[in-house]
């Protein structure tokens, strides 16, 4: 392993970096770095190489000139609340440059030495530079040009009596959430590719209550609608409680995960090494005694750590009841609420979340299905906190059901169906820790649940689905068990699609999966199939084996309508347009592709015993861009 550096100040190991940077024998100059565009092409959807993603791998050099007047200060004089914005001001800059930037680092005691001997561990990220800058990855970073007055030096200060020496300053604003460990800010010159350290605040900002109970989110346990599972995060390991329904209470069980739970290989993964961040403690409590389709107030925490604000939840309709309205989407992730660079940004996520919050606040939504590629943390664990914070206004009010995607599970030699490094070494551990679905067991993330007139079969495309596998046998059994008199609609969902009209479809739709599973869908008369993974919206005819078995007809309102009273095959929809950068379609799609839209949004499905109405809603315009009906 690399150099171990003892703490020497409040920012401990960063000071050592400064010492290294100013020591000639340990001063490195940039060598030829790999072409980033080539790395992007090679690793694309797997590790999301970007200049910021590789800053921990750039050579640490001595800044050729540092102003003696440099200072870095933050606007927060007291401890930080659970969420907010903090202004960071650098002053005393003599020569402002568009390559100057500031990073947020947490914990402040993170190893930010130069890891000279363990460069090979980073090769899997696609970056083959010889020396990492930071052994621990920054939470986020901003260029100082985000302050429009920086380069023009409008905030000028005279440093002597005659104003011969003048310096400039800049202020940038960082959004933060309570990640339990204190925040430190460090200023760099040289951009993300050849950075050198200028200065740091030296006074880490702690959180007022690192043990705050935060980010409560709900999931269903069964098909009765009478109980819900609540899971939340805290920095305290002692059991807490949820108080609900005017006097009832339940005590939490407490779990966590560690670096030892992360996957790795000969080359240690981001989750195992430089992307690790302590997740705190994950509390789970089961609330029972509910009535279906009913609202209740709840709060969680303890007198020791404090209590969450009171929130109102709505239970889902029981399986077999006459109506259900749900939202579904895939591939959402998170968008920073400031102009920061992060290693993996999903530009549409915040807009989609805001649109769905408005939808949920109207009161007509019974549940949510997020079908894979959940947070896109991909081994940079602090990003789970930011993602969970974003979805709390949704997931704290109605059931938030999920399926696992490649960016949660896949990793080399981990037992996944695909051996790409897409999870960054997470291998499903954070996903299963945060989203406890009613699955058969650990690392078997498939399940079924009934809400209203719908039976949902939720599978993992990232685990073995081949004929004879455990999951295949379970799928076969689950589909055969559906009582259509009780739940006349059967919806099948997972992450990777069977059909897509994007270029190089074989990289996104596995024909082996289609060959193994599609016959089961036809045999058991699945009505609707929902997939993600491809980042757009696409709808098919009633399709089987690549051919249309039936086409919809237009009703009096011009809406495509499928007649399943004479069942022919499932309708399939790709709905991976909830946040990740969108994929374009080919210019000559197959005849089975009836609707193709490249826009961020979500889908809403209203179901009765005899009719299913499905809509794709553009999150920007709030307009219905595509809709169809299926009748029984």
């Amino acid at each position: 392993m690399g150099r171990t550096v003892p703490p020497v100040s409040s920012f401990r190991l960063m000071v050592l970096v400064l010492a290294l940077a100013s020591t000639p024998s340990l001063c490195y100059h940039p060598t030829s770095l790999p072409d980033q565009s080539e790395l992007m092409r090679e690793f694309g959807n797997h590790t999301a190489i970007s200049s910021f993603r590789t800053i921990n791998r750039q050579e640490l050099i001595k800044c050729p000139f540092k102003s003696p007047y440099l200072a870095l200060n933050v606007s927060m004089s007291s401890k930080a609340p659970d969420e907010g914005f903090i202004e960071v001001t650098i002053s005393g800059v003599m020569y402002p440059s568009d390559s100057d930037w500031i990073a947020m680092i947490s914990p402040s005691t993170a190893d930010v030495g130069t890891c000279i001997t363990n460069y090979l561990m980073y090769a899997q990220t696609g970056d083959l530079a010889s020396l990492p800058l930071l052994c621990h990855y920054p939470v986020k970073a901003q260029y100082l040009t985000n302050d429009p007055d920086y380069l023009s030096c409008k905030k000028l200060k005279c440093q002597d009596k005659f104003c011969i020496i003048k310096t400039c300053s800049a202020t940038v604003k960082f959004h933060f959430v309570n990640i339990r460990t204190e925040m430190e800010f460090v200023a760099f010159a040289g951009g993300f590719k050849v950075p050198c350290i200028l200065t740091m605040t030296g006074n880490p900002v702690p959180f007022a209550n690192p043990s705050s109970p935060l980010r409560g989110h709900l999931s269903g346990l069964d098909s009765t609608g009478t109980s819900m599972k609540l899971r939340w995060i805290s920095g305290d390991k002692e059991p807490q409680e949820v108080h609900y329904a005017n006097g009832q209470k339940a005590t939490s069980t407490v779990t966590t995960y560690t670096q030892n739970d992360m996957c790795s290989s000969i080359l240690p993964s981001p989750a195992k090494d430089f992307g690790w961040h302590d997740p705190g403690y994950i509390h789970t409590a089961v609330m029972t005694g509910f009535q279906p389709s009913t609202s209740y107030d709840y709060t969680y925490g303890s007198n020791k750590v404090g209590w969450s604000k009171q929130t109102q939840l709505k239970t889902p309709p029981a399986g077999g009841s006459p109506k259900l309205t749900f939202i579904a989407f895939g591939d959402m992730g998170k968008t920073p609420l400031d102009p920061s660079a992060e290693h993996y940004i999903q530009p549409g996520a915040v807009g989609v979340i805001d649109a769905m919050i408005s939808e949920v606040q109207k009161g007509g939504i019974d549940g949510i299905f997020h079908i894979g590629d959940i947070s896109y943390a991909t081994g940079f664990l602090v990003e789970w906190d930011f993602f969970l914070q974003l979805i709390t206004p949704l997931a704290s009010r109605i059931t938030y059901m999920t399926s696992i995607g490649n960016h949660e599970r896949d990793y080399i030699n981990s037992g996944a169906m695909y051996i790409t490094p897409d999870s960054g070494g997470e291998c499903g551990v954070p996903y299963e820790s945060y989203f406890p679905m009613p699955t058969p067991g650990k690392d078997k993330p498939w399940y079924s649940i009934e809400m209203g007139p719908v039976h949902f079969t939720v599978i993992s495309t990232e685990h073995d689905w081949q004929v004879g596998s455990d999951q295949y046998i379970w799928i076969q059994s689950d589909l055969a068990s559906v009582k259509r008199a009780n739940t006349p609609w059967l919806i099948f969902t997972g992450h990777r699609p069977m059909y897509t009209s994007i270029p190089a479809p074989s990289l996104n739709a596995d024909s082996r999966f289609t060959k193994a599973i599609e016959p089961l869908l036809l045999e058991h008369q699945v009505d609707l199939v929902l997939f993600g993974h491809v980042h757009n919206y696409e709808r098919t005819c009633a399709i089987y084996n690549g051919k249309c078995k039936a086409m919809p007809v237009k009703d009096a309102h011009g809406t495509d309508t499928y007649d399943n009273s004479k069942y022919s095959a499932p309708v399939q929809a790709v709905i991976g347009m909830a946040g990740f950068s969108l994929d374009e379609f080919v210019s000559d799609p197959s005849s089975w592709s009836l609707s193709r839209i490249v826009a961020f949004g979500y889908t809403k499905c209203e179901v009765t015993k005899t009719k299913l109405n499905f809509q794709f809603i553009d999150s920007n315009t709030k307009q219905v861009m595509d809709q169809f009906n299926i009748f029984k």
Side-chain angles (χ1 to χ4, degrees):
M1 296 299 290
R3 182 188 304 270
T4 300
V5 183
V8 293
S9 75
S10 61
F11 189 39
R12 296 177 174 93
L13 301 180
M14 181 58 77
V15 173
L16 176 79
V17 177
L18 287 167
L20 291 173
S22 61
T23 304
S25 62
L26 290 176
C27 179
Y28 294 87
H29 297 278
T31 56
S32 177
L33 299 177
D35 179 44
Q36 298 295 313
S37 62
E38 289 297 325
L39 297 176
M40 282 292 288
R41 280 193 286 273
E42 180 179 358
F43 286 85
N45 196 39
H46 304 310
T47 51
I49 298 302
S50 67
S51 295
F52 180 68
R53 176 68 185 259
T54 59
I55 62 173
N56 64 305
R57 294 289 298 113
Q58 308 309 325
E59 294 195 11
L60 178 65
I61 64 171
K62 180 180 179 181
C63 285
F65 176 80
K66 291 194 295 184
S67 165
Y69 307 103
L70 279 175
L72 197 64
N73 295 287
V74 298
S75 60
M76 196 165 290
S77 58
S78 58
K79 296 180 179 180
D82 292 331
E83 183 177 16
F85 288 86
I86 185 170
E87 290 186 342
V88 184
T89 299
I90 186 169
S91 59
V93 179
M94 298 182 71
Y95 302 104
S97 168
D98 59 7
S99 64
D100 298 339
W101 56 283
I102 292 176
M104 176 196 293
I105 293 177
S106 184
S108 65
T109 54
D111 184 354
V112 290
T114 52
C115 290
I116 292 173
T117 62
N118 56 349
Y119 68 92
L120 282 176
M121 71 175 62
Y122 306 102
Q124 66 189 287
T125 70
D127 178 16
L128 306 177
S130 58
L131 293 175
L133 168 60
L134 302 177
C135 301
H136 192 92
Y137 202 78
V139 176
K140 53 174 64 179
Q142 288 191 46
Y143 278 103
L144 290 174
T145 51
N146 286 337
D147 183 336
D149 295 334
Y150 182 55
L151 294 181
S152 60
C153 200
K154 289 184 179 179
K155 302 169 187 174
L156 184 147
K157 182 178 180 180
C158 297
Q159 297 292 349
D160 63 275
K161 181 178 180 180
F162 301 101
C163 206
I164 297 173
I165 300 175
K166 305 172 184 177
T167 60
C168 312
S169 65
T171 299
V172 292
K173 184 182 292 187
F174 286 90
H175 171 250
F176 64 85
V177 300
N178 189 339
I179 52 176
R180 299 164 298 281
T181 53
E182 57 193 3
M183 301 174 287
E184 175 65 289
F185 296 89
V186 186
F188 295 84
F192 294 156
K193 292 188 176 182
V194 284
C196 61
I197 298 172
L198 292 171
T199 187
M200 67 281 190
T201 55
N203 293 305
V205 179
F207 287 95
N209 185 3
S211 297
S212 284
L214 298 168
R215 301 169 197 126
H217 49 286
L218 301 161
S219 60
L221 281 86
D222 54 36
S223 302
T224 66
T226 61
S227 60
M228 298 183 83
K229 184 174 286 186
L230 175 68
R231 186 156 284 194
W232 69 92
I233 315 301
S234 172
D236 190 79
K237 66 181 179 180
E238 298 300 320
Q240 299 171 21
E241 291 183 335
V242 56
H243 293 182
Y244 64 99
N246 297 320
Q248 296 192 64
K249 62 178 66 175
T251 301
S252 67
T253 58
V254 187
T255 59
T256 191
Y257 56 88
T258 70
Q259 280 177 284
N260 292 332
D261 297 318
M262 302 295 100
C263 285
S264 199
S265 62
I266 295 174
L267 305 176
S269 67
K272 193 83 169 179
D273 195 78
F274 58 90
W276 171 256
H277 187 270
D278 191 290
Y281 297 93
I282 302 163
H283 293 252
T284 306
V286 175
M287 297 179 283
T288 60
F290 290 147
Q291 292 296 314
S293 301
T294 305
S295 295
Y296 299 90
D297 292 333
Y298 71 96
T299 183
Y300 54 90
S302 71
N303 291 335
K304 175 184 176 184
V305 304
W307 294 89
S308 72
K309 67 177 183 180
Q310 184 168 280
T311 303
Q312 186 176 82
L313 64 81
K314 187 177 79 170
T315 55
S321 56
K323 294 181 181 180
L324 171 70
T325 301
F326 68 92
I327 283 173
F329 56 87
D331 304 77
M332 188 167 70
K334 73 268 167 290
T335 312
L337 300 184
D338 57 32
S340 288
E342 296 178 359
H343 91 281
Y344 220 169
I345 291 175
Q346 292 70 54
V350 165
V352 174
I353 290 170
D354 287 346
M356 291 191 295
I357 290 172
S358 297
E359 190 86 64
V360 169
Q361 287 175 341
K362 296 175 186 176
I365 305 300
D366 299 308
I368 290 174
F369 284 83
H370 185 165
I371 55 174
D373 285 4
I374 307 297
S375 74
Y376 286 95
T378 60
F380 295 80
L381 281 309
V382 73
E383 297 192 7
W384 278 104
D385 284 293
F386 283 88
F387 171 78
L388 291 169
Q389 188 81 13
L390 282 177
I391 68 165
T392 294
L394 296 167
S396 63
R397 299 187 62 176
I398 55 178
T399 56
Y400 196 98
M401 309 302 290
T402 60
S403 66
I404 201 167
N406 53 304
H407 285 293
E408 286 75 59
R409 182 59 185 84
D410 295 0
Y411 202 72
I412 303 157
N413 298 324
S414 68
M417 192 68 187
Y418 304 94
I419 61 170
T420 57
D422 291 9
S423 78
E426 292 184 11
C427 291
V429 173
Y431 166 78
E432 289 194 305
S433 297
Y434 294 126
F435 294 98
M437 299 297 109
T439 63
K442 184 178 180 180
D443 203 28
K444 294 184 176 182
W446 48 85
Y447 64 94
S448 64
I449 194 165
E450 294 179 347
M451 297 181 189
V454 181
H455 179 101
F456 293 92
T457 299
V458 183
I459 72 155
S460 169
T461 58
E462 311 313 302
H463 291 73
D464 192 355
W465 33 252
Q466 297 174 98
V467 175
S469 66
D470 286 350
Q471 184 175 199
Y472 180 91
I473 293 169
W474 177 87
I475 293 170
Q476 197 172 37
S477 173
D478 183 71
L479 295 178
S481 71
V482 181
K483 296 178 173 59
R484 301 303 276 264
N486 189 54
T487 50
W489 298 97
L490 179 50
I491 296 178
F492 183 92
T493 186
H495 185 57
R496 296 176 187 253
M498 293 182 178
Y499 299 99
T500 176
S501 296
I502 68 167
S506 61
L507 298 178
N508 295 281
D510 189 340
S511 61
R512 300 171 302 162
F513 172 61
T514 307
K515 183 178 179 180
I517 301 301
E518 194 177 30
L520 296 179
L521 308 183
L522 188 71
E523 177 186 353
H524 297 286
Q525 298 192 5
V526 170
D527 297 289
L528 179 63
V529 179
L530 301 176
F531 291 121
H533 193 60
V534 176
H535 308 128
N536 51 36
Y537 172 85
E538 185 169 20
R539 168 171 60 91
T540 72
C541 57
I543 189 171
Y544 181 73
N545 197 26
K547 299 185 185 326
C548 291
K549 297 302 181 181
M551 296 291 288
V553 296
K554 300 289 186 183
D555 67 9
H557 304 286
T559 302
D560 277 358
T561 301
Y562 301 81
D563 182 5
N564 272 20
S565 65
K566 301 174 182 177
Y567 182 83
S568 54
V571 177
Q572 299 205 20
V574 172
I575 55 172
M577 68 288 119
F580 198 95
S581 297
L582 296 167
D583 294 326
E584 297 293 334
F585 290 105
V586 295
S587 58
D588 54 342
S590 299
S591 59
W592 49 257
S593 177
L594 303 187
S595 178
R596 297 169 304 282
I597 300 171
V598 180
F600 292 118
Y602 60 95
T603 66
K604 182 170 74 170
C605 188
E606 299 182 50
V607 194
T608 66
K609 291 280 188 177
T610 58
K611 178 183 176 182
L612 182 153
N613 174 259
F614 192 88
Q615 301 178 342
F616 167 56
I617 299 170
D618 184 311
S619 58
N620 182 39
T621 65
K622 312 300 188 298
Q623 298 298 307
V624 175
M625 303 298 291
D626 182 55
Q627 70 171 319
F628 61 89
N629 297 318
I630 307 176
F631 283 96
K632 289 285 187 183

